[in-house]
Amino acid sequence: MNETMVCAVGNVATQPVYRDLANGASARFRLAVTARYWDREKSAWTDGHTNFFTVWANRALATNVGASLSVGDPVIVQGRLKVRTEVREGQSWTSADIDAVAIGHDLSRGTSAFRRPNREGDTTASPRPEPNWEMQPESRSLDISQQQPEPVGVT
């Protein structure tokens, strides 16, 4: 199947609307994507034209969008581009929608904390403690007597 996959970087322009439907959860929001360019005359970055997309999310992605995104959040959206043209009251309207596959905060413009959603009915999962990735200062340098000798290669 030929589909146009896009990756759009922008800001959440409207509060996500979450709906729990018979065939699964659905969420939508507007994404504002503004081009920026270097203006040599002003020696400064300048905002260009802003494109608006309606982003649609379904099932688990919709649930997580409803719990994670707010107006103004910088996000990256990957999904299928769908351009629609319709006639309303005698005027032709064109809109661009993105059927999202993945949505995430843009970490080049801020920080985010990832949390896995709790599964309903899952009582066996207990929170795991964060591993200690730093080594204790005394364990970094082993005493020579504690080190194992390296095997000698015979040729």
Side-chain angles (χ1 to χ4, degrees):
M1 180 184 310
N2 293 331
E3 295 178 327
T4 304
M5 297 295 289
V6 295
C7 183
V9 179
N11 292 325
V12 176
T14 62
Q15 187 63 34
V17 176
Y18 176 83
R19 301 264 194 270
D20 207 359
L21 305 173
N23 58 347
S26 177
R28 77 176 192 290
F29 64 92
R30 298 281 285 165
L31 177 70
V33 178
T34 304
R36 291 182 58 98
Y37 63 93
W38 181 256
D39 189 341
R40 291 183 184 178
E41 292 175 7
K42 297 178 184 175
S43 295
W45 286 99
T46 304
D47 288 341
H49 177 73
T50 300
N51 292 307
F52 288 91
F53 299 94
T54 300
V55 177
W56 294 89
N58 296 303
R59 296 176 289 285
L61 181 58
T63 304
N64 295 337
V65 161
S68 303
L69 298 184
S70 302
V71 174
D73 285 355
V75 292
I76 300 172
V77 176
Q78 181 182 12
R80 290 175 285 281
L81 178 66
K82 298 188 180 188
V83 179
R84 296 182 293 127
T85 303
E86 58 186 86
V87 177
R88 292 187 211 156
E89 301 174 8
Q91 288 189 340
S92 179
W93 291 83
T94 302
S95 63
D97 296 354
I98 299 175
D99 186 12
V101 174
I103 301 171
H105 285 112
D106 183 355
L107 298 181
S108 69
R109 298 192 283 164
T111 62
S112 184
F114 182 79
R115 292 179 307 278
R116 292 191 188 277
N118 292 333
R119 295 183 201 159
E120 293 180 24
D122 187 7
T123 58
T124 60
S126 61
R128 291 183 281 177
E130 181 70 25
N132 184 7
W133 298 104
E134 295 183 15
M135 296 171 51
Q136 298 300 326
E138 59 272 359
S139 66
R140 277 189 227 155
S141 59
L142 292 174
D143 187 16
I144 294 177
S145 64
Q146 293 176 336
Q147 292 181 356
Q148 297 292 326
E150 291 189 26
V152 177
V154 179
T155 58

